[in-house]
Amino acid sequence: MSAGCASWHVTDNDVMKPDRISGYRIEKSFDQAALRALIPDAELVTETLEVAPDVRLGGLRITQPQAVATVLYFPGGGDHIDHAVRSMARLVANCPVNLVMFDYRGFGRSNGEHSAATLKSDSLKIYDHYRQQTQGHLFVHGYSMGSFMTAYLAQQRQPQAIILQATASSMQAAMQQRLPGWVQTLMEFRLSEGMAALDNVAAVSQYPHPALVIAGSADTQTPENLGRRVFDALPSAHKQWISVPGGTHTNLLQSTPVKTAYCDFIRLHAQPPEGNRQP
C-alpha cells in the first residue's frame, strides 16, 4: 500500500463473462409448452440472425393475436434469453405486444466472442432487421447492460419509443458502484476503451421520443440515482419515471404498478397520431 495504488484493467469479459468462462449451460430450452403455460394463446418462434461470417445469434420471438406493437428486448449482461424470456412473458401476458430477444455473442443460443464493439454493431443489425420485418410499431427495451444497447439505438436509429430498466449514466459509473470504497482507494481500475465509451447520458441527450425509465430504490448494482441522471438527460416531452420502493436490480418487473405502467405505456404510444385517428 505504501508503494501506491494497484491498477486493474477491466476487460470486456470481466464485465460480461461468456459461457466458455462461466461454464453456463442451458438446462432446458424455453419452448412452446413453457410459453403456453404463461400465455395460452401466444406462439413461440425460434429466430436466427447472421451478424458476421460464421457468427449467428440465436433468439426467440413471441407473438400474440391482439398485439398492437413489437418490443425488441436487450437482456442484462449476464442473462440468457431462455431464462429472461420467462419474466418478460409474465410481464406482457396481459399486454398487447409481440416480443423479440437475442442472446449476445458467446451466450446461450449465440456463438462467437463479444466485445463492446460487437455489442453495438449487433444491436444495429438486430434493430435494422426487425424494423424492416415489422409492420407497425417497434419499441426497444433494455435491461441493465441492455439499456446501453437501447440508448445506443436511441442515438443511432431514433426508435419510436424506448424503455430503460435498471439503467446507469455510464459503464464507468456502473462499474464503480460494484467496488467498495476502500477498494477504490487502494486500486485504480481502468475499463477497456470500448466499455469506457458506453455513456447513456450522452446517448439519450438528443432523443425526443417517448421513454419509460424504471429504477429500484434498493438496487445496489445500478442505483436509482444513476438511472435518474439518464432520465434527466432525456429531452423528450413524453418521458416517464418509475421508482419501485424496495425494488432491487432483478425484481423490478415483478411489481404490479410496473406491469400496469409498462402496458399502459405501450398502448398509449402505439396509438396513431391525433390527427390520424379514426372518428
Side-chain angles (χ1 to χ4, degrees), residues 141-183:
H141 173 183
Y143 162 55
S144 193
M145 172 59 80
S147 76
F148 288 93
M149 301 306 100
T150 301
Y152 180 68
L153 286 171
Q155 184 181 50
Q156 299 295 320
R157 293 294 189 267
Q158 297 276 304
Q160 180 180 348
I162 61 173
I163 301 165
L164 303 172
Q165 173 195 348
T167 189
S169 50
S170 68
M171 183 57 68
Q172 182 77 19
M175 289 301 295
Q176 282 181 322
Q177 185 62 38
R178 300 184 185 186
L179 296 176
W182 66 269
V183 173

Coordinates of all heavy atoms in Angstrom, one line a residue, residues 141-183:
H141 N -36.5 -2.1 -25.6 CA -36.5 -2.2 -24.1 C -35.1 -2.8 -23.8 O -34.7 -3.9 -24.3 CB -37.6 -3.1 -23.6 CG -37.6 -3.4 -22.2 ND1 -38.5 -4.2 -21.6 CD2 -36.7 -3.1 -21.2 CE1 -38.2 -4.4 -20.3 NE2 -37.1 -3.7 -20.0
G142 N -34.4 -2.2 -22.9 CA -33.1 -2.7 -22.5 C -33.0 -2.7 -20.9 O -33.4 -1.8 -20.2
Y143 N -32.5 -3.9 -20.5 CA -32.3 -4.1 -19.0 C -30.8 -4.1 -18.7 O -30.1 -4.9 -19.3 CB -33.0 -5.4 -18.6 CG -32.5 -6.0 -17.3 CD1 -32.6 -5.2 -16.1 CD2 -32.0 -7.3 -17.2 CE1 -32.2 -5.8 -14.9 CE2 -31.6 -7.8 -16.0 CZ -31.7 -7.1 -14.8 OH -31.3 -7.6 -13.6
S144 N -30.4 -3.3 -17.7 CA -29.0 -3.2 -17.3 C -28.1 -3.0 -18.4 O -28.1 -2.0 -19.1 CB -28.7 -4.5 -16.5 OG -27.5 -4.4 -15.7
M145 N -27.2 -4.0 -18.8 CA -26.3 -3.9 -19.9 C -27.1 -3.6 -21.2 O -26.7 -2.8 -22.0 CB -25.5 -5.1 -20.1 CG -24.7 -5.2 -21.4 SD -23.5 -3.8 -21.6 CE -22.2 -4.4 -20.6
G146 N -28.3 -4.2 -21.3 CA -29.2 -4.0 -22.4 C -29.6 -2.6 -22.6 O -30.0 -2.1 -23.7
S147 N -29.6 -1.8 -21.4 CA -30.0 -0.4 -21.5 C -29.0 0.4 -22.3 O -29.3 1.4 -22.9 CB -30.2 0.2 -20.1 OG -29.0 0.4 -19.4
F148 N -27.7 0.0 -22.3 CA -26.7 0.7 -23.0 C -26.9 0.4 -24.5 O -26.7 1.3 -25.3 CB -25.3 0.2 -22.6 CG -24.9 0.7 -21.2 CD1 -25.1 0.0 -20.1 CD2 -24.3 1.9 -21.1 CE1 -24.8 0.4 -18.8 CE2 -23.9 2.4 -19.8 CZ -24.2 1.7 -18.7
M149 N -27.3 -0.8 -24.9 CA -27.6 -1.0 -26.3 C -28.9 -0.2 -26.7 O -28.9 0.3 -27.8 CB -27.9 -2.5 -26.5 CG -26.7 -3.5 -26.1 SD -25.2 -3.0 -26.9 CE -24.3 -2.1 -25.6
T150 N -29.9 -0.1 -25.8 CA -31.1 0.6 -26.2 C -30.7 2.1 -26.3 O -31.2 2.8 -27.3 CB -32.1 0.4 -25.1 OG1 -32.4 -1.0 -25.0 CG2 -33.4 1.2 -25.4
A151 N -29.9 2.7 -25.4 CA -29.5 4.1 -25.5 C -28.7 4.3 -26.8 O -28.9 5.4 -27.4 CB -28.8 4.5 -24.3
Y152 N -27.9 3.3 -27.1 CA -27.1 3.5 -28.4 C -28.0 3.5 -29.6 O -27.8 4.3 -30.5 CB -26.1 2.3 -28.5 CG -25.2 2.3 -29.7 CD1 -24.3 3.3 -29.9 CD2 -25.4 1.3 -30.7 CE1 -23.5 3.3 -31.0 CE2 -24.6 1.4 -31.8 CZ -23.7 2.3 -32.0 OH -22.9 2.3 -33.1
L153 N -29.0 2.7 -29.6 CA -30.0 2.7 -30.7 C -30.8 4.0 -30.7 O -31.1 4.5 -31.8 CB -31.0 1.5 -30.6 CG -30.4 0.2 -31.0 CD1 -31.3 -1.0 -30.6 CD2 -30.1 0.1 -32.4
A154 N -31.1 4.5 -29.5 CA -31.8 5.8 -29.4 C -30.9 6.9 -30.1 O -31.5 7.8 -30.8 CB -32.0 6.2 -28.0
Q155 N -29.6 6.8 -30.0 CA -28.7 7.8 -30.6 C -28.6 7.5 -32.1 O -28.5 8.5 -32.9 CB -27.4 7.6 -29.9 CG -26.3 8.6 -30.4 CD -25.0 8.4 -29.7 OE1 -24.5 7.3 -29.6 NE2 -24.4 9.5 -29.1
Q156 N -28.5 6.3 -32.5 CA -28.2 5.9 -33.9 C -29.4 5.7 -34.8 O -29.3 6.0 -36.0 CB -27.3 4.7 -33.9 CG -26.0 4.8 -33.2 CD -25.0 5.7 -33.8 OE1 -24.9 5.8 -35.1 NE2 -24.3 6.5 -33.0
R157 N -30.5 5.3 -34.2 CA -31.6 4.9 -35.0 C -32.9 5.7 -34.6 O -33.9 5.6 -35.4 CB -31.9 3.4 -35.0 CG -30.8 2.6 -35.6 CD -30.8 2.8 -37.1 NE -29.9 1.9 -37.8 CZ -28.6 2.2 -38.1 NH1 -28.0 3.3 -37.7 NH2 -27.9 1.2 -38.7
Q158 N -33.0 6.3 -33.5 CA -34.2 7.0 -33.1 C -35.4 6.2 -33.2 O -36.4 6.5 -33.9 CB -34.3 8.3 -33.9 CG -33.2 9.3 -33.8 CD -33.4 10.2 -32.6 OE1 -34.4 10.9 -32.5 NE2 -32.4 10.3 -31.8
P159 N -35.5 5.1 -32.4 CA -36.7 4.2 -32.5 C -37.9 5.0 -31.9 O -37.8 6.0 -31.3 CB -36.3 3.0 -31.6 CG -35.2 3.5 -30.7 CD -34.4 4.5 -31.6
Q160 N -39.1 4.4 -32.2 CA -40.3 5.1 -31.9 C -40.5 5.4 -30.4 O -41.0 6.4 -30.0 CB -41.5 4.3 -32.4 CG -42.8 4.9 -32.1 CD -44.0 4.1 -32.6 OE1 -43.7 3.1 -33.4 NE2 -45.2 4.4 -32.2
A161 N -40.0 4.5 -29.5 CA -40.1 4.6 -28.1 C -39.1 3.7 -27.5 O -38.7 2.6 -28.0 CB -41.5 4.3 -27.6
I162 N -38.6 4.1 -26.3 CA -37.6 3.2 -25.6 C -38.0 3.0 -24.1 O -38.7 3.8 -23.5 CB -36.2 3.8 -25.6 CG1 -36.1 5.2 -24.9 CG2 -35.7 3.9 -27.1 CD1 -34.7 5.7 -24.8
I163 N -37.6 1.9 -23.6 CA -37.8 1.5 -22.2 C -36.4 1.2 -21.6 O -35.8 0.3 -22.1 CB -38.8 0.4 -22.0 CG1 -40.1 0.8 -22.6 CG2 -39.0 0.0 -20.5 CD1 -41.1 -0.4 -22.9
L164 N -36.0 1.8 -20.5 CA -34.7 1.6 -19.9 C -35.0 1.1 -18.5 O -35.6 1.8 -17.7 CB -33.9 2.9 -19.8 CG -33.6 3.5 -21.2 CD1 -33.0 4.9 -21.0 CD2 -32.8 2.7 -22.1
Q165 N -34.5 -0.1 -18.2 CA -34.8 -0.8 -16.9 C -33.5 -1.0 -16.2 O -32.5 -1.6 -16.8 CB -35.5 -2.1 -17.1 CG -35.6 -3.0 -15.9 CD -36.0 -4.4 -16.3 OE1 -36.3 -4.7 -17.5 NE2 -35.9 -5.3 -15.4
A166 N -33.4 -0.5 -14.9 CA -32.1 -0.7 -14.1 C -30.9 -0.2 -14.9 O -29.9 -0.8 -15.1 CB -31.9 -2.2 -13.7
T167 N -31.1 1.1 -15.4 CA -30.0 1.6 -16.2 C -29.0 2.4 -15.4 O -29.2 2.6 -14.2 CB -30.7 2.5 -17.3 OG1 -29.7 2.9 -18.2 CG2 -31.3 3.8 -16.7
A168 N -28.0 3.0 -16.0 CA -27.0 3.7 -15.4 C -26.5 4.8 -16.3 O -26.6 4.7 -17.5 CB -25.8 2.9 -14.9
S169 N -25.9 5.9 -15.7 CA -25.4 7.0 -16.5 C -24.3 6.6 -17.4 O -24.2 7.1 -18.6 CB -25.0 8.1 -15.6 OG -24.1 7.7 -14.6
S170 N -23.4 5.7 -17.0 CA -22.3 5.3 -17.8 C -21.8 4.0 -17.3 O -22.1 3.6 -16.2 CB -21.2 6.3 -17.8 OG -20.6 6.4 -16.5
M171 N -21.1 3.3 -18.2 CA -20.5 2.0 -17.7 C -19.5 2.2 -16.6 O -19.3 1.4 -15.7 CB -19.9 1.3 -18.9 CG -19.3 -0.1 -18.5 SD -20.5 -1.2 -17.8 CE -21.6 -1.5 -19.2
Q172 N -18.7 3.3 -16.7 CA -17.8 3.7 -15.7 C -18.5 3.8 -14.3 O -18.0 3.3 -13.3 CB -17.0 5.0 -16.0 CG -16.0 5.4 -15.1 CD -14.7 4.7 -15.2 OE1 -14.4 4.0 -16.3 NE2 -13.8 4.7 -14.2
A173 N -19.6 4.5 -14.3 CA -20.3 4.7 -13.1 C -20.9 3.4 -12.5 O -20.9 3.2 -11.3 CB -21.4 5.7 -13.3
A174 N -21.4 2.6 -13.4 CA -21.9 1.3 -13.0 C -20.8 0.4 -12.4 O -21.1 -0.3 -11.4 CB -22.6 0.6 -14.2
M175 N -19.7 0.4 -13.0 CA -18.6 -0.5 -12.5 C -18.1 0.0 -11.2 O -17.7 -0.7 -10.3 CB -17.5 -0.6 -13.6 CG -17.9 -1.4 -14.8 SD -18.3 -3.1 -14.4 CE -16.8 -3.8 -13.8
Q176 N -18.0 1.3 -11.1 CA -17.5 1.9 -9.8 C -18.4 1.5 -8.7 O -18.0 1.3 -7.5 CB -17.4 3.4 -9.9 CG -16.2 3.9 -10.6 CD -16.1 5.4 -10.7 OE1 -17.1 6.1 -10.9 NE2 -14.9 6.0 -10.6
Q177 N -19.7 1.4 -9.0 CA -20.7 1.1 -7.9 C -20.5 -0.3 -7.4 O -20.8 -0.6 -6.2 CB -22.1 1.2 -8.6 CG -23.2 1.0 -7.6 CD -23.2 2.0 -6.5 OE1 -23.0 3.2 -6.7 NE2 -23.6 1.6 -5.3
R178 N -19.9 -1.2 -8.2 CA -19.7 -2.6 -7.7 C -18.5 -2.7 -6.8 O -18.4 -3.8 -6.1 CB -19.5 -3.5 -8.9 CG -20.6 -3.5 -9.9 CD -20.3 -4.5 -11.1 NE -21.4 -4.4 -12.1 CZ -21.4 -5.2 -13.1 NH1 -20.5 -6.2 -13.3 NH2 -22.4 -5.1 -14.0
L179 N -17.6 -1.7 -6.7 CA -16.5 -1.8 -5.9 C -16.6 -1.1 -4.6 O -17.1 0.1 -4.6 CB -15.2 -1.3 -6.6 CG -14.8 -2.0 -7.9 CD1 -13.6 -1.3 -8.5 CD2 -14.4 -3.4 -7.6
P180 N -16.3 -1.7 -3.4 CA -16.4 -1.0 -2.2 C -15.4 0.2 -2.2 O -14.4 0.2 -2.9 CB -15.9 -2.0 -1.1 CG -16.1 -3.3 -1.8 CD -15.9 -3.1 -3.3
G181 N -15.8 1.3 -1.4 CA -15.0 2.5 -1.4 C -13.5 2.2 -1.0 O -12.6 2.8 -1.6
W182 N -13.3 1.3 -0.1 CA -11.9 1.1 0.3 C -11.1 0.4 -0.8 O -9.9 0.7 -0.9 CB -11.9 0.2 1.6 CG -12.4 -1.2 1.5 CD1 -13.7 -1.6 1.7 CD2 -11.6 -2.3 1.1 NE1 -13.7 -3.0 1.4 CE2 -12.5 -3.4 1.1 CE3 -10.3 -2.5 0.8 CZ2 -12.1 -4.7 0.8 CZ3 -9.9 -3.8 0.5 CH2 -10.7 -4.9 0.5
V183 N -11.8 -0.4 -1.6 CA -11.1 -1.0 -2.7 C -10.7 0.1 -3.7 O -9.6 0.1 -4.3 CB -11.9 -2.1 -3.4 CG1 -11.3 -2.6 -4.7 CG2 -12.2 -3.2 -2.4

